[in-house]
Amino acid sequence: MEKTAELTPAARRKKRKLPEKQLPDRVAALLPESALYTQLLEFESRIDSAMARKKIDIQDSLKSPPSVQRTLRVYVFNTHTPRPTPSEPPSWTLRIVGRILEDGVDPDPLGGLPKPNPSYPKFSSFFKRVTIALDPALYPENPVIVWESSRSPASHEGFEVKRKGEKEFTASIRLEMNYVPEKFKLSPPLIDLLGIEVDTRARVLAGIWNYVKARKLQSSTDPSYFACDNGLRRVFNEERMKFSAVSQKITQHLTPPQAIHLEHRVRLSGNGAASGNACYDVLVDVPLPLQREMSAFLANTDRHKEIEAYDEAICGAIKKIHEHRRRRAFFLGFSQNPVEFINALIASQGRDLKLVAGEAGRNAERERRAEFYNQPWVEDAIIRYLNRKPAGGNDAPGSM
């Protein structure tokens, strides 16, 4: 079933090729206004070519999406609710939320938690794993709460943990960043060489190539090799390296980046409002708004369906024009010379009938005339015909 569904659209696209939407030359001669339609077809062809090139460019750019570095401010606080009844214990709620700061400045530092900006990704999309550890002596059943992005594809604006309890304690929070593309922490020798601590593998390789190029370490006799200076020797422990081996060699110098460790004191005193509010700033890569628009452009199929509907309507109109042109040619030929037109039509249909019946080699008009049977081969043909007949058959000469 899936293969059939994949093949059906391809067949429909084949029917909507540009030549099927073009008007024939005979129609163009009858309708001078059709030149405008031909110009529109050429313009549409240029637009389709430009859009196809742009889609390829967009797909290539999305493979290495451009991003800008912004400050993510993480807010950690808790609220508490007093005893609802003397028999029930009080409860508390730990919340972890975050907001992207515009130009690193809090828009309203005294106005409470700012509202999320819909143009930025949600808070949970910046992390691949969040671990919250409670006091195991107070909460022995489930002291560790783990959230993983792989198990929760939907993004959230924050995390919330709610428990019952009347004793204050310190909660440990571990945030593991979700870098796209994946980033690594560089080893000390590589940090000294490139001057960066955390980056992607591709940028690390590009940094090494730029380092070799800037110091002219590439071999003149064999360009696939480069000489190692003191900085490169501390990284590769080699005097001479091949470019193709760099990617494998730097693997041991790349480790997962360190997680962010936070501690929060869950306080149960006060009037129940947020208490123990703390802020932490983290640098994150935020995709450019244009990238989301490009992704939405590629994923949007409504416009393509609308264009396909218009193409089908145009092809249907062109088909009707072809039919009307053939009918016009038929009646125009009949009006100019009815007798000759009818004779030619009958002769044409007669030839078609003979082709269908397999008698295209016979000439019925010649067989009707006596001269046809006075030819030299007729006598020999009659003798052969009579010899093939049985002696006692009804078709024998003299039989009744």
Side-chain angles (χ1 to χ4, degrees):
M1 295 296 291
E2 294 181 358
K3 292 183 178 179
T4 304
E6 293 175 358
L7 292 175
T8 302
R12 293 179 61 187
R13 284 195 296 269
K14 186 176 180 181
K15 292 182 180 179
R16 288 191 295 273
K17 283 185 178 180
L18 188 60
E20 294 192 5
K21 295 195 296 184
Q22 288 180 340
L23 289 174
D25 295 337
R26 296 178 181 178
V27 176
L30 297 174
L31 298 174
E33 299 85 355
S34 62
L36 180 60
Y37 174 75
T38 303
Q39 294 176 3
L40 290 175
L41 281 181
E42 295 175 355
F43 184 65
E44 181 190 24
S45 177
R46 292 197 295 269
I47 291 178
D48 290 341
S49 300
M51 290 184 64
R53 292 194 300 269
K54 288 299 180 183
K55 284 184 178 181
I56 295 175
D57 295 340
I58 290 174
Q59 291 172 351
D60 292 339
S61 64
L62 291 179
K63 293 178 182 178
S64 56
S67 59
V68 61
Q69 203 169 56
R70 289 284 186 265
T71 300
L72 173 65
R73 179 155 293 177
V74 181
Y75 300 87
V76 182
F77 60 94
N78 74 277
T79 59
H80 64 278
T81 304
R83 294 175 179 269
T85 61
S87 60
E88 296 184 16
S91 61
W92 54 266
T93 302
L94 175 64
R95 290 188 173 91
I96 307 172
V97 296
R99 300 290 185 266
I100 296 293
L101 303 185
E102 294 288 348
D103 299 326
V105 179
D106 195 336
D108 189 8
L110 300 178
L113 188 64
K115 294 182 179 179
N117 191 339
S119 62
Y120 292 120
K122 292 187 177 181
F123 177 68
S124 66
S125 62
F126 295 105
F127 305 96
K128 63 180 179 181
R129 185 179 292 105
V130 176
T131 305
I132 302 174
L134 308 180
D135 189 343
L138 300 177
Y139 304 95
E141 294 183 359
N142 189 16
V144 179
I145 301 97
V146 180
W147 175 89
E148 294 181 346
S149 60
S150 58
R151 298 182 180 180
S152 178
S155 300
H156 309 281
E157 288 293 354
F159 302 97
E160 182 177 294
V161 177
K162 188 174 182 179
R163 292 290 187 273
K164 293 182 179 181
E166 55 185 357
K167 291 184 179 181
E168 297 184 356
F169 66 97
T170 300
S172 177
I173 303 169
R174 188 172 187 267
L175 306 175
E176 299 181 32
M177 303 299 296
N178 181 28
Y179 294 110
V180 180
E182 188 177 4
K183 290 187 177 183
F184 301 90
K185 179 177 174 57
L186 279 64
S187 64
L190 206 53
I191 293 176
D192 296 338
L193 181 73
L194 303 179
I196 52 179
E197 295 184 3
V198 177
D199 215 327
T200 63
R201 176 185 288 268
R203 289 180 62 86
V204 171
L205 292 173
I208 294 176
W209 162 247
N210 292 331
Y211 181 91
V212 171
K213 185 178 179 182
R215 285 159 178 76
K216 298 180 180 180
L217 300 175
Q218 188 173 9
S219 174
S220 58
T221 57
D222 189 355
S224 62
Y225 284 86
F226 63 90
C228 296
D229 59 4
N230 293 332
L232 290 171
R233 276 195 294 270
R234 285 194 295 269
V235 174
F236 299 116
N237 196 23
E238 298 282 350
E239 295 293 333
R240 190 167 176 260
M241 275 287 297
K242 195 172 184 179
F243 280 107
S244 58
V246 172
S247 179
Q248 181 180 0
K249 282 281 188 178
I250 65 170
T251 301
Q252 57 184 340
H253 295 275
L254 303 179
T255 57
Q258 293 181 352
I260 301 173
H261 293 273
L262 308 175
E263 289 188 351
H264 176 76
R265 184 69 179 177
V266 177
R267 303 185 184 277
L268 305 179
S269 59
N271 57 3
S275 59
N277 194 351
C279 300
Y280 306 89
D281 289 345
V282 182
L283 292 178
V284 295
D285 293 330
V286 179
L288 295 175
L290 181 61
Q291 178 192 352
R292 292 192 293 272
E293 294 178 3
M294 291 190 298
S295 301
F297 171 75
L298 294 178
N300 186 11
T301 58
D302 294 337
R303 294 182 180 179
H304 300 296
K305 292 180 180 179
E306 185 178 358
I307 293 174
E308 290 177 358
Y310 283 127
D311 285 343
E312 290 179 355
I314 292 174
C315 291
I318 295 297
K319 185 177 180 181
K320 291 182 180 179
I321 290 175
H322 281 287
E323 295 176 356
H324 287 298
R325 182 192 63 80
R326 288 192 290 267
R327 292 177 61 186
R328 179 185 180 278
F330 179 87
F331 290 113
L332 182 62
F334 179 78
S335 63
Q336 292 174 351
N337 193 338
V339 176
E340 183 178 350
F341 181 81
I342 292 297
N343 290 335
L345 179 63
I346 293 174
S348 175
Q349 292 183 350
R351 289 192 296 271
D352 294 341
L353 183 61
K354 289 180 180 179
L355 288 174
V356 174
E359 300 177 357
R362 296 183 60 184
N363 191 333
E365 185 63 27
R366 291 183 60 193
E367 292 179 2
R368 291 175 55 199
R369 301 181 180 277
E371 294 83 359
F372 179 80
Y373 300 98
N374 292 330
Q375 299 182 63
W377 58 268
V378 174
E379 183 178 356
D380 183 57
I382 293 174
I383 295 174
R384 289 175 179 273
Y385 174 77
L386 294 177
N387 290 335
R388 286 200 304 267
K389 290 295 182 180
N394 294 333
D395 295 335
S399 61
M400 297 299 295

